[in-house]
Amino acid sequence: MKHLLSASDLTRDDAVSLLDTAAELASVTDRAVKKLPTLRGRTVANLFFEDSTRTRLSFEAAAKRLSADVITFTAKGSSVSKGETLKDTALTLEAMGAQVIVLRHHASGAAQRLAQSGWIEASVINAGDGTHEHPTQALLDAYTLRQHLREGAGDLEGLSVVIVGDILHSRVARSNVALLTTLGARVTLVAPPTLVPVGVQTWPCEVSFDLDEALVGADAVMMLRVQTERMTAAYFPSVHEYSRRYGLDSARAARMPDHAVVLHPGPMNRGMEITAEVADGPRALIVDQVANGVSVRMAVLYHVLSSQEGAP
Amino acid sequence: MTAARILDADDVGRVIGRIAHEILEKSRGASDVILLGIPSRGVPLARRIADRMTSIEGHVVPVGSLDVTMYRDDIGLRGPRPLSRTDIPAEGIDDAIVVLVDDVLFSGRTVRAALDAVNDIGRPRAVRLAVLVDRGHRELPIRADHVGKNLPTSLAESVQVHLVETDGVDEVLLGSQGRS
């Protein structure tokens, strides 16, 4: 695995092996010395053209726990405002010794372009490209589901997962549909018709417009943020109507099976797609997701960097 | 490939018994000894040695496992390896005598990695090494304190340790080719 560009590039064995590695790496967090020497002398560059809290901090923590050096680039306050291109920025980072570039970009396909253009030798990890993919988010979601519903081992065969909200603009939904179905889960997307992407019938999942019906028998529900910053039109009449029909409140959550869990990739709009009671309630694994993100990204960095020389 | 059986099941049992006695003798009982097996086959070996020590001394000898994959010096040369469980006894290793247990001592690089891993977990009073087979060809200044069988080999030969827990049978085989 030289690059990680799309969750659909992972086979079931690849994905399970990444999750297993992450599970062992998670124990480092409980030790007195929270560091492994594995990537000593390697350099990881975080190249973030779009705002991010969780993903950037998580990759930074993951790289540092594996003793890699980290260079962080954010577009704000950089020469991007002077017109510097993705190519030149990446070449600059590579010239500074980066062997892995963790890329977040507002354009769908940016990670693929960077990896396959021949501009650079470094590995590329997609940390979110436009509305396309966010594979490490899908991995940490799969890890969290496995931890709570499958005793932390194996795949997700037979789980029923409902993903609700702004599917149209969601790279998290795309990556999760690919990865969760690869791992054997059944995925149902629920959204207002205006926020369902064209071509969704070719995805390996079901689509519903009725949240209450979809939640019957669901093992997990993943609430997505309504991405107003990417919206160029009015997709629903009002926030109130949206949260009435597609938001998760205590009453809806109470109708889910007892074991069912609630995920949200963050950042949350409390009161819109999820109420504060549910977000802070016993079913919510939102804080677990953040903690697991570090372990999963450690596993991805280890797999990518240990694949660079010699081995496949 | 032909393979000669160097130790059979009875031999393995006797060797484990002797190593258990040696560790007890050297540490004057086992009041502060902790055995850490290096995966994969060091773990069942450590467990068996600890069980034997426990039955001789009458108090429980703590045993755990120590995965050294993330401490190896060949990361990037062999691709990602699956990690094994690290399981340190709850009392920790500070001020204890840690005996690392592995099946085959060869280049010494695994033990070097294990010493680094121990260092990140605590500060033992002493670290010792017990191996079932020492096949020579050290690449680092490392030796074992307790050796089941010294087995002079050529680099072209392979040494395979099989244990009931992992392979269904206790035996040590010497094959005529391949590095192991």
Side-chain angles (χ1 to χ4, degrees), chain A residues 36 44 58 89 99 159 222:
Chain A
L36 291 165
V44 175
S58 181
T89 310
Q99 282 132 335
L159 275 192
M222 187 182 299

Side-chain angles (χ1 to χ4, degrees), chain A residues 18 22 25 39 54-63 66 102 104 125-127 134-140 289-303:
Chain A
L18 277 168
L25 292 174
L39 302 182
R54 259 159 293 272
T55 307
R56 186 164 56 80
L57 292 177
S58 181
F59 267 108
E60 194 166 326
L66 292 174
V102 177
R104 156 135 337 163
I125 297 174
N126 185 359
H134 192 354
T136 59
Q137 177 70 41
L139 280 164
L140 77 87
Q289 286 174 274
V290 177
N292 293 337
V294 177
S295 309
V296 161
R297 288 174 178 121
M298 287 169 78
V300 168
L301 287 171
Y302 168 61
H303 274 246

Side-chain angles (χ1 to χ4, degrees), chain A residues 20-25 27 31-33 35-39 42 66 298 302-303 305-312, chain B residues 66-67 69-86 88 112 116-117 119-122:
Chain A
D20 288 345
T21 302
E24 295 303 331
L25 292 174
S27 67
R31 305 192 328 189
V33 179
K35 221 168 166 69
L36 291 165
T38 316
L39 302 182
R42 319 285 173 105
L66 292 174
M298 287 169 78
Y302 168 61
H303 274 246
L305 271 163
S306 62
S307 304
Q308 278 190 339
E309 301 144 44
Chain B
L66 182 68
D67 182 55
T69 310
M70 301 308 272
Y71 291 86
R72 300 195 78 96
D73 58 6
D74 58 358
I75 288 154
L77 300 177
R78 300 185 50 171
R81 300 169 185 239
L83 305 191
S84 301
R85 174 121 306 176
T86 290
I88 304 298
R112 202 275 316 154
D116 282 355
N119 198 39
D120 278 358
I121 292 165

Side-chain angles (χ1 to χ4, degrees), chain B residues 154-174:
Chain B
S154 83
L155 280 174
E157 289 169 318
S158 72
V159 175
Q160 286 158 24
V161 171
H162 294 155
L163 297 173
V164 169
E165 294 89 334
T166 48
D167 314 280
V169 60
D170 281 344
E171 61 182 8
V172 176
L173 302 177
L174 180 63

Side-chain angles (χ1 to χ4, degrees), chain B residues 107-173:
Chain B
S107 67
R109 288 175 190 268
T110 302
V111 177
R112 202 275 316 154
L115 290 170
D116 282 355
V118 164
N119 198 39
D120 278 358
I121 292 165
R123 187 180 183 281
R125 189 148 58 82
V127 181
R128 302 206 178 114
L129 175 63
V131 297
L132 190 61
V133 177
D134 180 353
R135 64 165 296 185
H137 303 288
R138 216 75 76 241
E139 294 164 6
L140 294 169
I142 281 171
R143 64 168 178 78
D145 301 273
H146 309 287
V147 180
K149 172 85 178 165
N150 276 299
L151 187 61
T153 59
S154 83
L155 280 174
E157 289 169 318
S158 72
V159 175
Q160 286 158 24
V161 171
H162 294 155
L163 297 173
V164 169
E165 294 89 334
T166 48
D167 314 280
V169 60
D170 281 344
E171 61 182 8
V172 176
L173 302 177

